[in-house]
Amino acid sequence: MTDTPLKLFNSLTRAIEVFEPVHPGEARVYSCGPTVYNYQHIGNMRAYVFADTLGRVLQWKGYKLTHVINITDVGHLTSDADEGEDKMERMAAKEGKSAWDIAKFYQEDFERDIARLNVQSKQHPRATEYVEAMIAWGEKIADKHCYELDSGLYFDVSTVADYGRLARAVTDEGEGRIDTVEGKRNAADFAIWRKTPAGETRQMEWDSPWGKGAPGWHLECSVMGEKLLGFPFDIHTGGIDHREIHHPNEIAQNQAYCCTGGLDDASRSGAKIWMHNNFLVERSGKMSKSSGEFLRLQLLVDKGYHPLAYRMMCLQAHYRSELEFSWEGLGAALTRLKRIVMAVERLKDAPAGDPLHQKLAPMRAKFAEAVSDDLNTAVALVALEEALAVKKVDAGIKRAVIEDMDAVLGLGLFGLTRTDLRIRPKGAQITAAEIEAELIRRKEARMAKDFATSDAIRESLGEKGLEVMDGDPLGWEWKL
């Protein structure tokens, strides 16, 4: 913890603000989670690395953190607006499974992925656990803020002040993303409850005052945020794509439920601060889940990259900046992580000492200033590397400083080894046992001064994707 005030960019006010908790000593954070109808691509995962970094900084500042990442297992249509099929129902039909089994499978996969990225949140409530509360919410706001159509119960956005302020107004382009439902009063109106069409049966449907059906996607986050964190809570996070439709709709519901006025007071939105990470950009088009072998964390592992290389890649950019993904960039992030791990290796056996050493004070100050300045992890990483490079400082003192910094960055440096980072690519044509046998044969050739054979073995291993490193205790690395 440091005395440097934490400053965060609030998307609602479009301003940098000093964080002041709603409840003294506490920080309550809600992050929009995945719709568990498919695997999550790495663009989705950037949002959770960002939200986890935020949570870690808050803890580092001394706050007791409550961090909720919801699971959308019902209600999300194929568009972010009220358009298309239910994603869960569609995947269930495609795979010949129940929607409940689909949700369970992909939620478990998501939780494995965020664990591999060292995301700490353990609260992952499912939307289906809160349907009764959603119905009660709809009943409370229906008279003043909603109207019923054959297709469901709709929220009238003209009934709340400052609708769309988060998105800075609903533009013509924005309206083009909103489905035109016959009878809607305003183009931006959205479903609170979607009725099951006559003659159809859904796997996920409930009885309600407006007929059998399912809740609208936007409602779940309002309900779970209020139930688990209370209004107003401190910070709501999500991807920048949520800033245009999903979060403005969520805010409108919160205003209606709490009977609050306009958004000049940000806390009337349900959260004091709204934060959004920018997109991960990938030029080949493989970010889309419709592209077949889309970019998911397991694909990175299959190609030989440790998941924490992706976390490093995310930390190297500011969360509000676009981050371009490339295999070269991921490889550079992995190399940087390896170098840090090698430097940390020398500190592992040292008993932790007092971090307040004069030589390390500039790096500690630089780190504190960086993470306090709207989570500038790119500069924070540099401060960590500079601290590692300082000479003539007791190893225990340096260890204490690096452990403190890593508590924020979440790389798990003291539990990580270079061997952990040496992941066999799925398509590799040689096993670890075969590699070791070839290295023994090469060592024997070198001892016999048969350098032609030694060089031939080295070249052969290189063709199979290995880099032989004479004089390095590890001996070899996969050459990615």
Side-chain angles (χ1 to χ4, degrees):
M1 179 177 177
T2 70
D3 294 331
T4 309
L6 176 59
K7 296 173 291 184
L8 302 171
F9 183 80
N10 189 345
S11 297
L12 184 58
T13 61
R14 294 295 198 271
I16 295 283
E17 301 176 3
V18 173
F19 175 73
E20 295 179 352
V22 174
H23 303 88
E26 289 189 50
R28 302 183 185 185
V29 180
Y30 186 97
S31 297
C32 279
T35 302
V36 285
Y37 74 103
N38 205 335
Y39 299 108
Q40 300 300 303
H41 60 60
I42 59 173
N44 300 138
M45 303 312 289
R46 186 186 186 193
Y48 308 116
V49 172
F50 148 62
D52 180 63
T53 304
L54 169 66
R56 287 172 177 273
V57 170
L58 289 163
Q59 287 179 306
W60 189 71
K61 293 285 186 180
Y63 296 105
K64 178 186 175 184
L65 175 69
T66 304
H67 185 192
V68 174
I69 302 176
N70 75 291
I71 299 295
T72 298
D73 59 351
V74 66
H76 195 169
L77 303 185
T78 51
S79 161
D80 283 357
D82 299 313
E83 183 177 18
E85 302 172 83
D86 185 295
K87 289 183 176 183
M88 301 299 304
E89 298 274 349
R90 188 174 70 166
M91 184 58 78
K94 180 180 178 181
E95 295 195 8
K97 300 176 181 177
S98 77
W100 303 95
D101 287 341
I102 291 289
K104 183 176 185 294
F105 178 85
Y106 289 113
Q107 177 178 349
E108 289 174 352
D109 186 81
F110 164 74
E111 289 173 338
R112 279 192 296 270
D113 275 356
I114 62 172
R116 292 197 287 183
L117 290 169
N118 284 350
V119 173
Q120 295 183 117
S121 170
K122 297 294 186 291
Q123 286 203 51
H124 307 145
R126 298 188 301 274
T128 49
E129 298 172 328
Y130 289 83
V131 173
E132 287 186 11
M134 294 184 213
I135 292 171
W137 184 295
E139 288 180 306
K140 179 174 178 178
I141 68 173
D143 288 347
K144 290 185 178 180
H145 300 278
C146 303
Y147 56 94
E148 194 170 349
L149 299 176
D150 290 342
S151 54
L153 182 71
Y154 286 83
F155 190 98
D156 184 338
V157 298
S158 69
T159 63
V160 293
D162 299 327
Y163 175 77
R165 176 174 285 196
L166 181 69
R168 284 298 187 266
V170 181
T171 63
D172 291 339
E173 180 182 354
E175 287 184 3
R177 295 178 59 206
I178 300 173
D179 187 33
T180 303
V181 175
E182 186 175 351
K184 285 210 306 188
R185 297 174 183 173
N186 310 286
D189 292 353
F190 56 92
I192 292 289
W193 188 264
R194 295 182 295 108
K195 296 180 186 178
T196 301
E200 290 187 19
T201 301
R202 289 176 176 152
Q203 293 188 46
M204 290 182 163
E205 59 180 7
W206 295 261
D207 290 322
S208 82
W210 316 286
K212 191 177 290 291
W217 172 45
H218 313 294
L219 186 58
E220 63 177 270
C221 287
S222 286
V223 170
M224 285 190 276
E226 190 275 331
K227 290 292 182 187
L228 296 170
L229 301 176
F231 283 154
F233 54 86
D234 295 295
I235 304 171
H236 196 309
T237 78
I240 198 170
D241 50 320
H242 291 334
R243 194 181 64 187
E244 308 308 313
I245 295 179
H246 178 47
H247 286 171
N249 290 354
E250 197 179 329
I251 288 170
Q253 293 167 160
N254 298 346
Q255 289 173 276
Y257 185 80
C258 298
C259 303
T260 57
L263 298 175
D264 290 333
D265 179 349
S267 65
R268 293 173 180 168
S269 68
K272 285 186 69 176
I273 298 177
W274 293 75
M275 298 179 70
H276 298 88
N277 65 281
N278 212 323
F279 292 115
L280 182 76
V281 180
E282 201 280 324
R283 305 297 179 190
S284 74
K286 288 190 175 180
M287 199 69 74
S288 169
K289 294 177 184 177
S290 62
S291 67
E293 190 190 47
F294 65 86
L295 288 171
R296 47 183 285 240
L297 197 62
Q298 186 59 47
L299 179 63
L300 272 53
V301 174
D302 289 345
K303 291 185 179 293
Y305 297 90
H306 194 281
L308 290 175
Y310 179 65
R311 183 175 182 112
M312 170 66 84
M313 190 178 193
C314 291
L315 293 173
Q316 290 177 156
H318 193 275
Y319 76 90
R320 287 196 286 123
S321 300
E322 276 194 352
L323 173 60
E324 182 165 357
F325 176 85
S326 69
W327 293 107
E328 294 79 10
L330 184 63
L334 178 60
T335 298
R336 187 178 187 184
L337 181 58
K338 285 178 180 177
R339 288 173 179 160
I340 292 174
V341 167
M342 289 167 66
V344 167
E345 195 77 39
R346 297 189 285 270
L347 309 177
K348 287 184 177 178
D349 293 332
D354 182 2
L356 303 178
H357 191 282
Q358 188 175 0
K359 271 197 173 183
L360 297 177
M363 297 80 182
R364 292 176 58 250
K366 182 176 181 176
F367 184 89
E369 184 62 36
V371 297
S372 301
D373 183 16
D374 197 29
L375 315 182
N376 194 338
T377 52
V379 173
L381 277 169
V382 173
L384 180 143
E385 290 168 322
E386 290 175 349
L388 281 170
V390 172
K391 307 294 185 184
K392 297 181 180 179
V393 174
D394 179 77
I397 293 171
K398 190 178 287 189
R399 173 179 177 165
V401 171
I402 301 304
E403 282 184 324
D404 186 56
M405 292 177 173
D406 191 38
V408 172
L409 298 173
L411 293 168
L413 295 174
F414 286 85
L416 203 56
T417 68
R418 273 179 69 202
T419 304
D420 294 333
L421 299 175
R422 190 173 68 181
I423 293 177
R424 182 176 186 270
K426 191 175 182 180
Q429 299 176 348
I430 187 169
T431 66
E434 290 170 335
I435 293 167
E436 295 302 329
E438 284 295 275
L439 290 176
I440 291 170
R441 194 163 72 87
R442 181 171 180 267
K443 182 179 180 181
E444 292 171 347
R446 284 166 62 84
M447 291 176 65
K449 299 190 184 305
D450 182 358
F451 298 114
T453 298
S454 171
D455 291 345
I457 293 171
R458 184 180 192 133
E459 289 177 14
S460 174
L461 290 172
E463 291 170 0
K464 293 180 172 66
L466 276 83
E467 182 178 9
V468 178
M469 302 174 297
D470 292 322
D472 188 305
L474 204 59
W476 59 274
E477 293 270 23
W478 289 104
K479 186 170 59 180
L480 301 171

